[in-house]
Structures are given as C-alpha cells and as structure tokens.
Amino acid sequence: MQRGVLVMAVALAASGCASSGVSSEPNPADPWEGFNRRVFAFNDVLDRYALKPAAQGYRYVTPDPLERGVSNFFDNLGEVRTVFNSLLQGKGANAGNSSMRFLMNTTFGLGGLLDPATHAGFIADEEDFGQTLAAWGVGEGPFVVLPFLGPSTVRDTSALPVDWYTYPLTYVEDDTVRYSLRGLELLDARASLLDQEDLIRGDRYSFIRDAWLQRRRFEVTDGELGDDSFIDDGFDYDEDAFAE
C-alpha cells in the first residue's frame, strides 16, 4: 500500500522498477517539459541537500522493526481515503477489504503499527481521487512537475484537495502534532526509497517522468499497462517492487 500524496517519493519509487534507460524522444504527455525541468531541478536540489540526508539519518538511527511500524501506521491512515474512493468508483469489495484492514489494524495492530489484516487475508488496492476522476472519464491531461510535490498530471493535481481532506492527519487540531507527523511521514517515505535510486539510468528527468507515468497508468487501469511507445522495451514494471 502507498501512503498519502508524497508524489516526489513515489516518482523515485517508480524509477526503481526500470531496468534500462528510457527513450530520448519527446514524450507527447509532457508539452510543458521546459517548465517541468526547471521545477524538477529545484526539487532535486532540495532533495539532495535536505530531504535525502535527513532520510539517511532517520534510517541510521531507527531500528528496522520500528521503521516498519511507522510505515504501517501511515499506510493504515491511508485506508480511509481508499474506502472513500473505492465507494465512489463502485468497487464495493475493495472498500470492504480496506474497511476491514483499517478496523483490524487500528484495534488489533496497536493503532496501525502492526498489520494483522494482511496476515488475515484482507488485501486492498489503494485508491485516491485522481483514480476516481479517471474512472469517471476525466482525461489525465499533461504531465506536470509540482514544486515540493514532484511529478503529477493535471488530473491528479486537481484531485489533491479531495485527497487532502480525506486523509485523517488533516484533522489533527494540534499544529505541532500534525506537522510532526507529516514530517515523520515524509522522512519514512523517503527513507524507504534510498536503495532504489541507483537503478536510475540515462537522463534523470526523462527516466523518472516516463517511469512515473507508466506506474500511474498501471494504478489507474488496475494493472492493465497497455502500450506506450515512449517507454523502452527494457522497461519492466514489477508490482512487487512497490509493495511495502
């Protein structure tokens, strides 16, 4: 299960699924490439000098069992969003499984730190409002890189407010607690991707863009990738690489 809308982290995760470089041809999904590259460069500097070192420090001082517990905790919060969007898409079974995951992990999993629901056989595909808009027939629109958030599309960007308000952390009233949890969530997500960055090949921007688009379309179509002539034949999507 993913957690939240940590899009920059998701982009780096996606890049870890490719085994070779991507095509150098212009991608028709990216008509704003000049602008996007400038925002990407800004985000990359921010990550290199702030987020990545912090994530490395977090991983160094955090025992593996605790790190897994933190990831489980934020994954569990994301079940609320999944239930909401599954219902909007008419995916009753997924909504039911996600509801059971949230109830079981919250009650028997120490507030979500443990994941007994998976061991009990309750598995759900994460759904967000961008996927709901796609199910309703809204086109993805051009690829866009958002400051701080990273890769997105026009459709996914328009979905961000709904995703924000269907995530439980939004309703934590204490600012210190809310910001602390958000920071911990970002650190944990970034730390989980440290081992995957060495797999990036060729032009970093193109690789991450094409890999992110490939993965996002996989999520939107529930695993039906389809053809994309702008991804090399060597691109190998491995769903297991995204399992946490």
Side-chain angles (χ1 to χ4, degrees):
M1 299 288 290
Q2 296 174 215
R3 74 192 83 103
V5 192
L6 300 171
V7 187
M8 180 166 63
V10 166
L12 289 169
S15 69
C17 291
S19 59
S20 66
V22 293
S23 172
S24 60
E25 298 180 45
N27 191 318
D30 188 11
W32 305 330
E33 183 171 344
F35 167 80
N36 286 335
R37 281 187 178 272
R38 289 190 290 272
V39 178
F40 178 86
F42 167 78
N43 288 345
D44 201 43
V45 170
L46 181 66
D47 179 69
R48 185 179 306 145
Y49 293 105
L51 184 56
K52 182 177 179 179
Q56 290 171 325
Y58 168 78
R59 168 172 283 187
Y60 180 78
V61 302
T62 307
D64 289 345
L66 180 57
E67 192 172 343
R68 285 193 298 272
V70 170
S71 297
N72 289 339
F73 173 79
F74 291 115
D75 284 346
N76 189 52
L77 293 181
E79 300 291 353
V80 175
R81 180 186 294 143
T82 290
V83 172
F84 174 77
N85 285 286
S86 294
L87 291 173
L88 290 180
Q89 296 176 47
K91 297 179 178 179
N94 200 65
N97 283 339
S98 188
S99 297
M100 286 301 300
R101 287 183 57 81
F102 181 75
L103 292 173
M104 184 174 292
N105 287 343
T106 300
T107 55
F108 301 113
L110 303 179
L113 294 175
L114 302 177
D115 185 15
T118 295
H119 298 290
F122 292 102
I123 306 295
D125 294 326
E126 183 185 3
E127 302 289 342
D128 56 46
F129 196 63
Q131 290 164 269
T132 297
L133 291 178
W136 291 351
V138 178
E140 71 177 13
F143 176 78
V144 59
V145 181
L146 303 176
F148 304 106
L149 296 179
S152 186
T153 62
V154 170
R155 180 179 62 206
D156 286 334
T157 301
S158 68
L160 288 176
V162 176
D163 285 336
W164 179 270
Y165 284 110
T166 52
Y167 191 52
L169 282 188
T170 303
Y171 300 96
V172 176
E173 295 184 357
D174 189 296
D175 289 344
T176 301
V177 174
R178 185 172 66 254
Y179 293 140
S180 296
L181 288 173
R182 285 286 188 179
L184 178 60
E185 180 181 28
L186 180 59
L187 278 179
D188 180 69
R190 185 64 182 89
S192 69
L193 306 172
L194 290 172
D195 296 334
Q196 302 180 27
E197 295 179 73
D198 291 340
L199 299 176
I200 297 176
R201 298 291 183 267
D203 176 58
R204 185 177 175 87
Y205 169 81
S206 297
F207 191 100
I208 291 177
R209 175 199 63 199
D210 292 353
W212 187 90
L213 285 171
Q214 185 86 335
R215 177 178 187 264
R216 187 56 176 159
R217 289 163 183 170
F218 183 95
E219 294 173 336
V220 166
T221 61
D222 294 329
E224 298 179 8
L225 282 175
D227 296 326
D228 188 342
S229 60
F230 291 88
I231 302 295
D232 273 0
D233 291 339
F235 187 96
D236 180 20
Y237 184 91
D238 181 2
E239 185 178 5
D240 291 339
F242 296 99
E244 296 179 5

